[in-house]
Amino acid sequence: MWAPTAPPAKSTRSQHVPTHDNPATFDVVVLGGGSGGYATALRAAQLGLSVALVEEGKVGGTCLHVGCVPTKALLHAAEVADAAAHGAQFGVRTTLDGIDMPAVLAYKDSVVAGLYKGLQGLITSRKITVVEGHGTLAGPGVVEVTSADGARSSYTGTHVVLATGSYARSLPGLELGGRVITSDDALKLDTVPKSVVVLGGGVIGVEFASVWKSFGADVQIVEALPHLVPNEDVALSKALERAFRKRGIKFSLGERFAQVKQSEDGVQVELESGTTFDAELLLVAVGRGPRTADLGYESAGVRLDRGFVLTDELLRTGVRTGAGDSAGHVWAVGDIVPGLQLAHRGFAQGIFVAEQIAGLAPATIDETAIPRVTYCEPEVASVGVTEARAAELYGPDQVETIEYNLAGNGKSKILGTQGFAKLVRRKDGPVVGMHLIGSRVGELIGEGQLIVGWEAFPEDVASLVHAHPTQNEALGEAHMALAGKPLHAHN
């Protein structure tokens, strides 16, 4: 799957030391070293292309350094804290004596450092030229880089891949700083706040709310939309809200932020309704914006919409790097492309673009088959379309759903978790959506991706044997029920 039958020959282009007037030339120049950028670089180099990877910070980008990996390390520490606090329910005499945040940060940083070292070694082994500095698109096929000491150099590529990632957004008029922090700042806190207001009930907001509650903080979420994790199936949103109430995590839904006042020891957050909340910190978790400003994109002909780079289904921007049949393309991958802002989406797009550049014909990426996981407690995981979206696509009378409660699953019972697996199918057709909530259900979504991505019918999955006792078994039971032969569920 990874290697072509006949890999293209190694590039014979010289890779001389560049100056501003004498640019180095590569088959591919990648601007940005996050998940999408380094995946492009690795796959292109694997296919025999010469590659330059331009990165101002550390290779690995948001996901490795201030996103997926460090936040999930904190969430695992929170899981350990919960296990210690509630060990008695399993007959284990444990107590939670407190959270040593400097030690938690050291653990988090060690995880990141190990993965970063491994990634650096992989890039070095592929003979990718890594260029450290601030890169801009100086022309359709030229990336200009300014190093930390102010030196400037240029790199030309037959193909240029834009992969500059995202940044933590705020709201108009809401100034960041002091006790008003972003997720980047939250990852550096060396103490557990006594109280926090979280502005935004999406993935980032509920994950940090979950961590802080496990660490002993008082948490209040403010979400302008009617539900937490509003992009998920409403059944998952409502179930998460019930679980958060049980955990003591407070939230206000359908409420808009008005203003925040800071003092020496805290913040006062006021909503448009007049309701106010006092806390030590305000976490602004209203999503991430595309990092495309002042990078030369528009002047080079790249079209933007609200900061996002517009592409076709092959991830081409429409800008060519030269004339004639030998001209290459300017491509874009990752968070700057409209759609799900997920590291694994950017990673897949990077591989897809590299294979196209190498002359292969990879299958286009099905966005609906990309799995999504929110790693709070309980976890939320999904793939495919929601029930509401399926009704829009196929008509309400052409959609069937079923919910299999984890109360009937032996391993979930052992873990002490509650939740369910919800399936959405076209009537007499394949499963088009899977929606899960419960502890550790993120580990189940891989099978869900295969089921939805390969358009499996419930009868196809029902015939598969799932190991007992596993949570994975719940997917088999759910598909048996949807196929009309439930054993541990009612018709």
Side-chain angles (χ1 to χ4, degrees):
M1 176 178 178
W2 279 80
T5 304
K10 290 277 187 180
S11 171
T12 57
R13 290 177 175 170
S14 61
Q15 297 184 21
H16 50 268
V17 177
T19 66
H20 183 55
D21 297 319
N22 186 27
T25 301
F26 296 84
D27 296 320
V28 186
V29 177
V30 183
L31 182 52
S35 299
Y38 80 71
T40 305
L42 288 172
R43 184 62 174 137
Q46 187 180 52
L47 292 170
L49 302 173
S50 61
V51 182
L53 179 61
V54 180
E55 172 56 50
E56 184 174 15
K58 292 181 176 180
V59 172
T62 293
C63 176
L64 179 54
H65 299 288
V66 291
C68 321
V69 173
T71 56
K72 278 53 182 182
L74 291 188
L75 282 154
H76 180 63
E79 182 182 7
V80 174
D82 288 336
H86 304 294
Q89 75 183 73
F90 303 105
V92 181
R93 295 174 182 171
T94 57
T95 57
L96 178 60
D97 293 334
I99 304 297
D100 182 350
M101 276 307 298
V104 171
L105 295 182
Y107 152 68
K108 167 188 68 86
D109 292 342
S110 70
V111 172
V112 172
L115 292 171
Y116 178 49
K117 183 178 180 180
L119 179 59
Q120 287 178 302
L122 187 58
I123 288 172
T124 299
S125 71
R126 295 281 171 83
K127 296 180 171 50
I128 294 167
T129 300
V130 178
V131 184
E132 297 181 359
H134 178 72
T136 58
L137 188 62
V142 181
V143 172
E144 186 173 278
V145 182
T146 304
S147 65
D149 61 6
R152 294 168 62 195
S153 55
S154 293
Y155 299 81
T156 63
T158 302
H159 297 269
V160 173
V161 182
L162 309 178
T164 43
S166 61
Y167 66 93
R169 290 179 51 238
S170 185
L171 295 176
L174 176 53
E175 186 176 344
L176 301 172
R179 293 182 175 275
V180 179
I181 65 174
T182 67
S183 57
D184 294 359
D185 307 311
L187 288 169
K188 303 172 187 174
L189 292 177
D190 59 4
T191 60
V192 178
K194 292 181 180 178
S195 56
V196 187
V197 173
V198 177
L199 183 57
V203 173
I204 297 171
V206 299
E207 287 187 347
F208 273 100
S210 187
V211 167
W212 280 324
K213 185 62 182 179
S214 296
F215 286 174
D218 182 73
V219 182
Q220 169 71 51
I221 302 173
V222 176
E223 170 55 53
L225 294 175
H227 290 290
L228 297 179
V229 288
N231 291 328
E232 297 291 348
D233 190 279
V234 69
L236 293 188
S237 296
K238 290 180 178 179
L240 182 63
E241 289 158 15
R242 289 193 296 270
F244 271 20
R245 287 191 192 97
K246 188 174 181 179
R247 291 188 61 192
I249 298 174
K250 294 168 286 189
F251 49 88
S252 297
L253 303 174
E255 294 265 26
R256 292 189 175 275
F257 169 83
Q259 64 174 343
V260 59
K261 297 177 182 177
Q262 294 196 50
S263 64
E264 289 186 6
D265 57 357
V267 295
Q268 183 178 79
V269 178
E270 182 178 343
L271 308 184
E272 289 184 353
S273 63
T275 302
T276 60
F277 299 108
D278 295 313
E280 283 190 10
L281 296 172
L282 170 63
L283 171 67
V284 181
V286 292
R288 299 188 65 84
R291 194 183 298 277
T292 57
D294 302 319
L295 295 178
Y297 289 0
E298 288 183 290
S299 59
V302 175
R303 295 172 301 134
L304 301 181
D305 180 17
R306 295 171 295 175
F308 289 97
V309 176
L310 299 180
T311 70
D312 63 12
E313 70 281 359
L314 300 181
L315 299 175
R316 299 175 301 195
T317 66
V319 176
R320 301 299 299 271
T321 59
D325 294 339
S326 62
H329 293 278
V330 175
W331 313 72
V333 300
D335 286 356
I336 62 174
V337 179
L340 297 169
Q341 290 181 310
L342 298 170
H344 45 284
R345 172 181 179 254
F347 188 84
Q349 288 178 335
I351 295 170
F352 175 73
V353 165
E355 292 183 351
Q356 289 184 88
I357 291 172
L360 306 182
T364 56
I365 298 170
D366 179 1
E367 296 268 329
T368 63
I370 296 174
R372 310 172 291 275
V373 184
T374 303
Y375 295 86
C376 53
E377 175 53 40
E379 288 185 352
V380 172
S382 60
V383 64
V385 297
T386 64
E387 179 180 357
R389 180 58 178 154
E392 292 175 1
L393 291 172
Y394 314 119
D397 60 341
Q398 295 300 310
V399 175
E400 293 180 305
T401 67
I402 193 168
E403 290 185 14
Y404 177 79
N405 198 300
L406 294 184
N409 175 256
K411 187 59 180 284
S412 296
K413 196 74 172 178
I414 291 167
L415 294 173
T417 188
Q418 297 179 335
F420 57 83
K422 177 177 179 178
L423 305 181
V424 181
R425 77 175 296 191
R426 295 185 66 174
K427 192 172 183 180
D428 299 322
V431 175
V432 295
M434 182 180 296
H435 310 277
L436 312 171
I437 185 166
S439 297
R440 306 185 185 182
V441 296
E443 300 299 331
L444 307 183
I445 206 60
E447 182 179 354
Q449 179 187 24
L450 297 179
I451 291 167
V452 173
W454 286 341
E455 299 181 335
F457 281 56
E459 294 79 8
D460 298 327
V461 184
S463 65
L464 301 176
V465 179
H466 291 75
H468 174 76
T470 63
Q471 285 186 291
N472 186 249
E473 201 176 5
L475 301 187
E477 293 274 2
H479 284 84
M480 287 176 68
L482 195 54
K485 51 180 181 180
L487 290 188
H488 295 96
H490 297 291
N491 282 311

